[in-house]
Amino acid sequence: YEVALDSDADVREVKNGMEERMARLVGRDLIDCEVPDRRLEVDSLRHGRHLLVDGIDSAPSDIVTQKTCTYYTSDNPATPPNSDCYVIQGLMTLYLREYTALSSTSESSSKALKTLLRAMNKADPSPFLEYSEGRFGVAGVRGVRYVRGTPDDGGLVLIDNSGNDGVEGGVGGAI
């Protein structure tokens, strides 16, 4: 993903904050971990829950790359003024139930990436922006854009940002 930061923000602190907030957001959407007295077996039967995610970890640590931003550029009016852009390779671990089908693993991983894509590109404003309402905002973040990602180690499946708002065409399936 690309992140546009206040020019005085520390990219390492932002990276750490984004890791934690992204894991929390994906956890909320995939495992409904904020519901009191959550009971996985009952909920899965009652609500037809097919994703078998039992936990999420922000590890391994995200990587601030040396790549050049392609969305937050000087000629894009969406680029916040007086900001610096960084490309960050975000990584996350999903803990799935034992003996789950491979299709469930792929589906859960793809759903996690699409949750992040929506939050970064479709939500207005993104919940990760410093002044967003809620508890996902990260100090120093003025813009964030999902660019691309793969839900598997081999990179065989690509969920990329090829539509104008990041959720049209070529996003690796219907959202």
Side-chain angles (χ1 to χ4, degrees):
Y1 62 94
E2 291 183 15
V3 63
L5 308 179
D6 285 326
S7 52
D8 60 345
D10 181 340
V11 69
R12 291 172 306 232
E13 288 180 22
V14 168
K15 174 192 71 86
N16 293 338
M18 286 293 296
E19 280 182 302
E20 187 265 327
R21 300 322 189 289
M22 288 189 299
R24 189 184 313 156
L25 179 78
V26 170
R28 181 192 72 183
D29 284 6
L30 266 61
I31 60 178
D32 207 17
C33 60
E34 297 180 8
V35 174
D37 300 324
R38 179 186 71 135
R39 296 187 340 198
L40 289 174
E41 297 304 324
V42 173
D43 283 348
S44 66
L45 294 173
R46 197 175 341 167
H47 294 48
R49 185 170 172 253
H50 298 289
L51 303 175
L52 301 173
V53 179
D54 281 339
I56 297 185
D57 189 352
S58 61
S61 185
D62 290 357
I63 300 165
V64 179
T65 72
Q66 299 299 313
K67 294 181 180 178
T68 303
C69 291
T70 58
Y71 182 77
Y72 290 118
T73 59
S74 59
D75 61 340
N76 182 351
T79 302
N82 302 318
S83 65
D84 297 324
C85 184
Y86 295 89
V87 176
I88 299 177
Q89 179 184 2
L91 305 165
M92 184 180 298
T93 302
L94 300 181
Y95 293 100
L96 305 176
R97 291 191 191 162
E98 287 189 66
Y99 311 113
T100 58
L102 184 57
S103 62
S104 180
T105 301
S106 177
E107 181 183 355
S108 297
S109 300
S110 294
K111 176 128 172 86
L113 286 174
K114 290 176 184 178
T115 295
L116 293 172
L117 185 148
R118 275 192 217 94
M120 291 181 183
N121 296 10
K122 185 122 175 117
D124 188 23
S126 169
F128 301 118
L129 300 184
E130 179 174 18
Y131 300 109
S132 295
E133 305 248 342
R135 55 195 180 140
F136 297 109
V138 178
V141 174
R142 298 183 57 208
V144 64
R145 187 78 175 171
Y146 179 97
V147 179
R148 63 184 291 165
T150 59
D152 58 334
D153 284 336
L156 299 176
V157 177
L158 176 67
I159 297 176
D160 69 352
N161 175 24
S162 55
N164 290 335
D165 65 0
V167 295
E168 296 173 358
V171 185
I175 294 181

